[in-house]
Amino acid sequence: MPSKTTTSAETPAVRVAKPPRQKGLGEPPQTATETAAVGNNTKVAADDKLVDLGFKLPQAFRRNFRLFCASNDMAQVDAFREAMADYMKKKGWESN
């Protein structure tokens, strides 16, 4: 009784050439309809969006900062902004 499985010698090998490599990314799509990618997020975040600064501080500094803000009836974000504005002005940095 002949077997129903085929061996690799019986099936022809299909050889397909690899597509050429891209040399660059090319131009970005002009509109969301010109791409298959979902979202097409090529815009920069607006200045009114809140973002994480991405650094950590010692717990003692955080505690002292929070106590200072609470005792002076200030929001922590406002205190940080004001302190950074003063420091940048002291260093000669032009803020927007």
Side-chain angles (χ1 to χ4, degrees), residues 53 55 78-90 93 95:
L53 284 178
F55 60 87
D78 294 337
F80 181 73
R81 285 184 184 148
E82 188 176 331
M84 282 304 300
D86 288 343
Y87 187 72
M88 291 166 73
K89 185 176 178 182
K90 177 183 168 186
W93 183 272
S95 63

Side-chain angles (χ1 to χ4, degrees), residues 13-83:
V14 178
R15 300 199 186 264
V16 179
K18 288 184 178 180
R21 282 190 113 184
Q22 282 186 331
K23 292 186 173 139
L25 296 176
E27 293 293 320
Q30 298 300 319
T31 63
T33 58
E34 295 179 13
T35 181
V38 177
N40 192 19
N41 189 8
T42 57
K43 304 244 189 268
V44 177
D47 284 340
D48 59 345
K49 301 283 184 184
L50 298 177
V51 295
D52 186 17
L53 284 178
F55 60 87
K56 299 201 181 258
L57 298 168
Q59 187 175 6
F61 181 86
R62 179 177 181 260
R63 183 175 50 249
N64 286 334
F65 180 69
R66 290 177 67 156
L67 284 171
F68 173 80
C69 292
S71 63
N72 290 296
D73 197 27
M74 298 177 72
Q76 294 177 30
V77 173
D78 294 337
F80 181 73
R81 285 184 184 148
E82 188 176 331

